[in-house]
Amino acid sequence: PEHADKVMTITNGFDPADFAIAARSKPADGSRFVLTFVGRFQLARTGEELFGGLRRFVEGLGPDSDRFLLRVVGYANKTVQTKLRATGVPCEFVDYVPHEEAIRAMCSSDALLLKSLTGPNGDSVIPAKLFEYLASGRPILAVGPRGCECERIVRACSAGLTVDFDETAIADALERLFDAWADGHPIAGCGL
């Protein structure tokens, strides 16, 4: 602590060249809102509040639930897939893909889901994917503890919405993203 002025944090980042073409792409399917998670969707790092928030959101959509898709690109074991499908949210699971395709998936989504870690020091962890999410220009829905680094960065960059681990807050944020998209005025992402 007495040498804090001599310490600098160097975070992860992104390679702008990776986004030169992909970032210009628009969401491909205008008939449904696609929320994408890229990476490892692990049950041990996902609170029940996220599943509950997804369930509440899709129940609120009623007959419009088929206009929403949760796409997971990367790893999601069978238990995670079963729990996500049990929410009633239309889901699509894509195994690991080359990095270029992962970026294309980010850039062709209507919004991106970012889950902060729970537990000790979870509020200080900055997932590497956050920087690529920012570079994609798509709005981010960051779910994590209040005051966490992810929340601070998403807010500082005006890159989307941040919510605590709370079913109602998660459902409300999803509704805001979906309604803005449905009205033709989607919430903006980071304008790097």
Side-chain angles (χ1 to χ4, degrees):
E2 65 272 9
H3 299 290
D5 60 324
K6 295 182 180 183
V7 176
M8 179 193 299
T9 301
I10 300 173
T11 64
N12 285 302
F14 69 94
D15 185 347
D18 291 343
F19 289 84
I21 296 171
R24 284 183 254 138
S25 65
K26 298 289 182 208
D29 184 358
S31 67
R32 61 184 176 173
F33 181 92
V34 179
L35 176 68
T36 300
F37 175 88
V38 177
R40 293 182 62 84
F41 202 114
Q42 296 177 315
L43 192 57
R45 295 182 175 178
T46 305
E48 288 298 317
E49 300 86 359
L50 180 60
F51 298 110
L54 286 165
R55 182 178 295 107
R56 280 182 185 221
F57 167 68
V58 78
E59 287 172 356
L61 286 178
D64 282 338
S65 65
D66 63 340
R67 294 186 65 207
F68 179 81
L69 175 69
L70 173 62
R71 178 181 295 144
V72 177
V73 178
Y75 174 79
N77 70 26
K78 296 297 180 198
T79 304
V80 168
Q81 291 183 31
T82 299
K83 284 188 75 97
L84 284 171
R85 285 190 178 107
T87 66
V89 172
C91 299
E92 176 180 284
F93 299 95
V94 180
D95 285 333
Y96 285 115
V97 295
H99 189 241
E100 181 180 323
E101 288 180 43
I103 289 173
R104 195 170 288 117
M106 288 178 214
C107 293
S108 65
S109 299
D110 296 293
L112 300 168
L113 175 62
L114 180 71
K115 304 178 299 130
S116 293
L117 297 179
T118 59
N121 300 318
D123 59 342
S124 65
V125 175
I126 304 172
K129 84 174 95 228
L130 172 56
F131 300 98
E132 288 190 335
Y133 275 19
L134 292 169
S136 76
R138 299 298 180 246
I140 298 168
L141 172 56
V143 180
R146 282 285 168 218
C148 71
E149 287 299 303
C150 291
E151 176 188 54
R152 184 186 63 77
I153 293 169
V154 169
R155 284 183 179 217
C157 295
S158 298
L161 304 177
T162 62
V163 294
D164 199 357
F165 296 113
D166 176 80
E167 279 186 25
T168 302
I170 293 166
D172 289 349
L174 286 165
E175 184 178 352
R176 277 186 63 199
L177 286 163
F178 182 85
D179 287 349
W181 167 83
D183 290 341
H185 303 290
I187 291 175
C190 182
L192 292 176

mmCIF file with all atom_site columns, all heavy atoms in Angstrom, residues 21-22 40 62 122:
data_model
loop_
_atom_site.group_PDB
_atom_site.id
_atom_site.type_symbol
_atom_site.label_atom_id
_atom_site.label_alt_id
_atom_site.label_comp_id
_atom_site.label_asym_id
_atom_site.label_entity_id
_atom_site.label_seq_id
_atom_site.pdbx_PDB_ins_code
_atom_site.Cartn_x
_atom_site.Cartn_y
_atom_site.Cartn_z
_atom_site.occupancy
_atom_site.B_iso_or_equiv
_atom_site.pdbx_formal_charge
_atom_site.auth_seq_id
_atom_site.auth_comp_id
_atom_site.auth_asym_id
_atom_site.auth_atom_id
_atom_site.pdbx_PDB_model_num
ATOM 1  N N   . ILE A 1 21  ? -13.245 -6.024  -40.458 1.00 0.00 ? 21  ILE A N   1
ATOM 2  C CA  . ILE A 1 21  ? -14.358 -6.382  -41.348 1.00 0.00 ? 21  ILE A CA  1
ATOM 3  C C   . ILE A 1 21  ? -15.595 -6.755  -40.546 1.00 0.00 ? 21  ILE A C   1
ATOM 4  O O   . ILE A 1 21  ? -16.687 -6.260  -40.797 1.00 0.00 ? 21  ILE A O   1
ATOM 5  C CB  . ILE A 1 21  ? -13.965 -7.550  -42.278 1.00 0.00 ? 21  ILE A CB  1
ATOM 6  C CG1 . ILE A 1 21  ? -12.841 -7.100  -43.202 1.00 0.00 ? 21  ILE A CG1 1
ATOM 7  C CG2 . ILE A 1 21  ? -15.169 -8.039  -43.077 1.00 0.00 ? 21  ILE A CG2 1
ATOM 8  C CD1 . ILE A 1 21  ? -12.211 -8.203  -44.012 1.00 0.00 ? 21  ILE A CD1 1
ATOM 9  N N   . ALA A 1 22  ? -15.407 -7.587  -39.541 1.00 0.00 ? 22  ALA A N   1
ATOM 10 C CA  . ALA A 1 22  ? -16.543 -8.117  -38.782 1.00 0.00 ? 22  ALA A CA  1
ATOM 11 C C   . ALA A 1 22  ? -17.336 -7.036  -38.070 1.00 0.00 ? 22  ALA A C   1
ATOM 12 O O   . ALA A 1 22  ? -18.553 -7.111  -37.976 1.00 0.00 ? 22  ALA A O   1
ATOM 13 C CB  . ALA A 1 22  ? -16.060 -9.158  -37.778 1.00 0.00 ? 22  ALA A CB  1
ATOM 14 N N   . ARG A 1 40  ? -16.983 -19.666 -22.027 1.00 0.00 ? 40  ARG A N   1
ATOM 15 C CA  . ARG A 1 40  ? -17.351 -20.823 -21.208 1.00 0.00 ? 40  ARG A CA  1
ATOM 16 C C   . ARG A 1 40  ? -18.528 -20.455 -20.316 1.00 0.00 ? 40  ARG A C   1
ATOM 17 O O   . ARG A 1 40  ? -18.369 -19.665 -19.385 1.00 0.00 ? 40  ARG A O   1
ATOM 18 C CB  . ARG A 1 40  ? -16.170 -21.280 -20.366 1.00 0.00 ? 40  ARG A CB  1
ATOM 19 C CG  . ARG A 1 40  ? -15.031 -21.859 -21.191 1.00 0.00 ? 40  ARG A CG  1
ATOM 20 C CD  . ARG A 1 40  ? -13.890 -22.341 -20.323 1.00 0.00 ? 40  ARG A CD  1
ATOM 21 N NE  . ARG A 1 40  ? -14.281 -23.422 -19.426 1.00 0.00 ? 40  ARG A NE  1
ATOM 22 C CZ  . ARG A 1 40  ? -14.323 -24.720 -19.747 1.00 0.00 ? 40  ARG A CZ  1
ATOM 23 N NH1 . ARG A 1 40  ? -14.008 -25.095 -20.964 1.00 0.00 ? 40  ARG A NH1 1
ATOM 24 N NH2 . ARG A 1 40  ? -14.678 -25.620 -18.861 1.00 0.00 ? 40  ARG A NH2 1
ATOM 25 N N   . GLY A 1 62  ? -44.497 -13.632 -23.652 1.00 0.00 ? 62  GLY A N   1
ATOM 26 C CA  . GLY A 1 62  ? -45.677 -14.363 -24.091 1.00 0.00 ? 62  GLY A CA  1
ATOM 27 C C   . GLY A 1 62  ? -45.518 -14.888 -25.504 1.00 0.00 ? 62  GLY A C   1
ATOM 28 O O   . GLY A 1 62  ? -44.532 -15.556 -25.818 1.00 0.00 ? 62  GLY A O   1
ATOM 29 N N   . GLY A 1 122 ? -14.540 -11.677 -6.916  1.00 0.00 ? 122 GLY A N   1
ATOM 30 C CA  . GLY A 1 122 ? -15.242 -11.688 -8.199  1.00 0.00 ? 122 GLY A CA  1
ATOM 31 C C   . GLY A 1 122 ? -15.483 -10.295 -8.741  1.00 0.00 ? 122 GLY A C   1
ATOM 32 O O   . GLY A 1 122 ? -15.497 -10.089 -9.945  1.00 0.00 ? 122 GLY A O   1
#
